[in-house]
Amino acid sequence: MTISLSRRSLVAGGAALALGPGLLAAARADNGVSDGAIRIGQSAVFSGPAKDFGIDYRAGIKLHFDRVNKGGGINGRRLELVSYDDVYEPAKTALNTAKLIDEDKVFALTGYVATGNLAAAMPLAEKAGVPMFAPLVGTTSFRTKTNRLLFHVRAGYDLELRKIISHLSTIGIQSIAVVHQDSAFGKSNLATCEELAADYKVKVVKTFPLAIAAEDAKPVVAGLAEARPGAVVMIMAGRQVEVFMRDYRASAGGAPLYTLSVGITDAAGSAQRLEGKLAGLVTASIVPPPQAVRVPIVADYQRDRAEFGEKIDSYTALEGYIVARVMAEGLRRGGKALTRESFVAGLESIGSTRFGDFPIEYGPKNHNGSNFVDLEMYTRDGQLRR
C-alpha cells in the first residue's frame, strides 16, 4: 500500500479517525493488529554457542512489553511477541520469517540477531511489506542507504570500529592485526575496519579468519606471534572470543585486545571460564552499563527487572529493553487505526530525542537510530570499567 507523505503524517498523528468508518476499517486490516493485541515476530538464536545473544535480547524486549501491557498496552492493545529459534543459521531464519509472516500473521518483526540472518530475512520482509525493527546487527552495508522498512537502534559497527581505531591512534599504536569471524558479519566488517585503519594511518599487518564453531585458535595465535601487531582487534561474537582469548593468553601474547560490543555476552561466565584472563580486554559498548542507575533508562530497566522478576541482567538485555521502548513509541505514534504505514511514519516522526537520556534520531532519510559508543575494559571477574 502506498500513501502520500501528508497522509502518512496524518495517520502517524493519530488522526485517522477523521478518515471515516470505511477507511478506518480498511486501515485496521493489516495482519497482526486486532482490537486487543499487536503481534510482533522474532527469529533469533536461542540454542548453541551464540544463544546468549537471542536469549538476553528477547528477555529485554519482553521486559518492556510487560511494562507496556501492565499499563494498558498501546492504545488499548497488548503487545505479543512470537519467537522462534534459528540456531544462528540464515537458512533457518528465512524459514522462521516466512512462518511468522504467512502463518502467524505478525504486524512487524524485531529482535533478529546477526548479519547473515538479517540478510536472509529482509527480502521476505520487503516482499510482504513488513517492518523490520532493531536487529542486533551493526553492519555498515545495511545502513548506507535508507530502507523504509528497516529501522536500527544500536550504533553501527562502523562507529564502534572508528572509536576503537581512533583510540589506538591516539595512544600511539600504529599497527593492528584483525581476527574475524569467517562469515558475512566478519568479512563485511573486516573491510570497514581496513578502511578506517587507513583513514587513521594505522597499518593492518595481518588478518585471520576464525570459524564460527572453532574450538581451537592456536594457528591464529601462532600467526599473531609472527606478525607482532601493536594491538589485536576482534570482529567476532560470543564463544569465539573466549576460544581465541584462551589460546592467546596461554601463549603469553602481550598485545592489547579489543572487541566489538557483540564480543562478550555472558561476562561473568566468560570470566569464570577464562579463569581471570578476561582482564584487560577492551570492548566497545553501545548502551550504558546495566548497573549505571544514574542514567534514567537504566533505572527504569532495573526497576522493571525487580518488579517483573527478570533474572537476566546484561548489556544485551538492556539493549533489548531500549529497543522495545523505542518501538512502543513508534506504535503509539502510529495511532489507534494502526497500520504498517502509520508505524513507519510514527517512527520517522520521532526526530532527534532521548529515551531516558539515551539518544535516538529518526527521520524519512535516517533510520539509523543511536550513535552512542563508548569503550570499557573488563576486570578479572567480568565487570566493566571506563
Side-chain angles (χ1 to χ4, degrees), residues 211-224:
I212 291 174
E215 295 293 337
D216 184 344
K218 291 185 178 67
V220 172
V221 170
L224 286 168

Side-chain angles (χ1 to χ4, degrees), residues 63-64 153 286-305 317-327 354-360 372:
L63 180 61
H64 189 68
V153 168
I286 50 80
V287 296
Q291 289 74 42
V293 292
R294 66 185 181 278
V295 181
I297 199 160
V298 178
D300 291 345
Y301 160 76
Q302 292 294 359
R303 175 205 65 204
D304 288 349
R305 282 190 64 244
L318 173 58
E319 182 181 350
Y321 182 87
I322 293 170
V323 159
R325 183 156 167 181
V326 179
M327 188 179 200
R354 288 178 175 267
F355 289 79
D357 211 29
F358 185 81
I360 291 289
F372 177 91

Side-chain angles (χ1 to χ4, degrees), residues 33-50:
V33 179
S34 66
D35 288 341
I38 303 168
R39 187 178 305 117
I40 308 296
Q42 178 189 26
S43 177
V45 53
F46 299 120
S47 60

Side-chain angles (χ1 to χ4, degrees), residues 224-279:
L224 286 168
E226 186 175 325
R228 301 181 66 181
V232 178
V233 177
M234 291 176 279
I235 303 176
M236 300 186 291
R239 288 284 291 176
Q240 269 189 310
V241 172
E242 281 188 40
V243 169
F244 169 74
M245 288 193 66
R246 178 200 66 202
D247 292 349
Y248 187 72
R249 299 293 201 209
S251 75
L257 302 179
Y258 289 76
T259 183
L260 295 177
S261 60
V262 293
I264 298 290
T265 54
D266 175 19
S270 293
Q272 185 176 23
R273 289 186 289 271
L274 289 170
E275 299 178 334
K277 295 181 177 66
L278 186 64

Side-chain angles (χ1 to χ4, degrees), residues 326-347:
V326 179
M327 188 179 200
E329 178 63 19
L331 292 168
R332 286 190 190 94
R333 289 172 179 244
K336 291 185 177 180
L338 182 65
T339 67
R340 289 166 178 154
E341 289 286 350
S342 71
F343 174 50
V344 168
L347 288 168

